[in-house]
């Protein structure tokens, strides 16, 4: 996506969803319900002398649940599609915005937007209405940029013929 964006003169920015899986409900028609035992610190005061080890239905797609990843993906992709993004059928987890030619990729809780400078803010603002993010967008070229759990550093140097060469490395 970054290469296509660079050819169009677009900018790349990234964001992380905040507690991603917990944004999706654990509703699975035809599947068994999941129950969890709550730690004492989560008990309401009236439970103290009433219960020994209460269990309650799990309502959110908690990390570690065998279906949480698929539930989060279905939830987040549905939210993205509701904003007129369309799937790039040849690439799973890649979306295109027909009106602005922007591209959006999603990998678990990491999102990368490649769009014109003029449209970047409005795309993130729309996404913020349907997905909760931890932080403001990080723009590629800012040093360092974090994406997919890695630090990315950019270097620019001028070649002998006067062109600017941009390279980057990834620290895992």
């Amino acid at each position: 996506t970054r290469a296509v964006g660079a050819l169009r003169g677009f900018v790349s920015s990234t964001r992380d969803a905040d507690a991603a899986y917990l944004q999706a409900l654990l509703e699975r028609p035809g599947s068994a319900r999941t129950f969890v035992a709550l730690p004492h610190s989560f008990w309401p005061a009236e439970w103290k002398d009433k219960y020994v080890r209460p269990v309650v239905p799990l309502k959110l797609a908690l990390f570690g649940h065998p279906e949480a990843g698929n539930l989060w993906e279905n939830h987040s992709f549905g939210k993205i599609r509701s904003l007129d993004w369309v799937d790039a059928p040849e690439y799973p987890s890649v979306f295109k915005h027909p009106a602005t030619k922007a591209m959006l990729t999603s990998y678990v809780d990491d999102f990368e937007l490649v769009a014109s400078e003029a449209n970047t803010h409005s795309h993130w603002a729309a996404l913020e209405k349907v997905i909760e993010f931890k932080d403001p967008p990080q723009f590629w070229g800012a040093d360092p940029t974090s994406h997919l759990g890695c630090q990315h550093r950019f270097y620019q140097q001028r070649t002998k013929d006067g062109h600017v060469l941009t390279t980057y490395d990834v620290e895992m």
Side-chain angles (χ1 to χ4, degrees):
T1 56
R2 251 177 265 128
V4 172
L7 291 172
R8 294 181 180 162
F10 286 3
V11 296
S12 295
S13 54
T14 62
R15 295 185 83 173
D16 289 341
D18 189 25
Y21 289 178
L22 297 179
Q23 294 183 44
L25 294 175
L26 190 64
E27 293 178 354
R28 308 163 332 278
S31 290
R33 292 173 62 192
T34 301
F35 290 83
V36 294
L38 289 180
H40 288 275
S41 59
F42 288 93
W43 291 19
E46 62 271 14
W47 285 14
K48 184 179 178 206
D49 296 322
K50 192 173 184 180
Y51 300 107
V52 177
R53 189 166 186 241
V55 294
V56 296
L58 183 62
K59 299 209 180 221
L60 300 175
L62 187 63
F63 180 81
H65 187 281
E67 296 180 36
N70 288 337
L71 291 166
W72 162 246
E73 181 178 289
N74 293 338
H75 172 81
S76 63
F77 286 11
K79 298 295 186 182
I80 292 166
R81 291 179 189 118
S82 76
L83 299 173
D84 298 326
W85 291 88
V86 295
D87 295 81
E90 59 279 8
Y91 300 107
S93 303
V94 177
F95 300 87
K96 303 180 283 188
H97 197 277
T100 65
K101 307 296 184 224
M103 293 172 50
L104 179 71
T105 60
S106 171
Y107 181 76
V108 187
D109 64 346
D110 294 315
F111 294 83
E112 181 176 0
L113 173 66
V114 178
S116 69
E117 284 191 57
N119 290 317
T120 295
H121 177 74
S122 61
H123 280 308
W124 281 127
L127 287 163
E128 285 173 354
K129 292 179 181 176
V130 296
I131 296 173
E132 295 175 40
F133 292 98
K134 290 181 190 175
D135 45 27
Q138 291 186 334
F139 288 86
W140 284 84
D143 197 23
T145 302
S146 179
H147 185 57
L148 297 175
C150 304
Q151 293 293 313
H152 301 257
R153 288 186 174 72
F154 289 79
Y155 305 95
Q156 287 190 332
Q157 60 188 28
R158 193 164 295 279
T159 61
K160 290 180 183 178
D161 60 359
H163 292 91
V164 175
L165 175 66
T166 302
T167 59
Y168 76 99
D169 67 20
V170 179
E171 182 180 304
M172 300 179 114

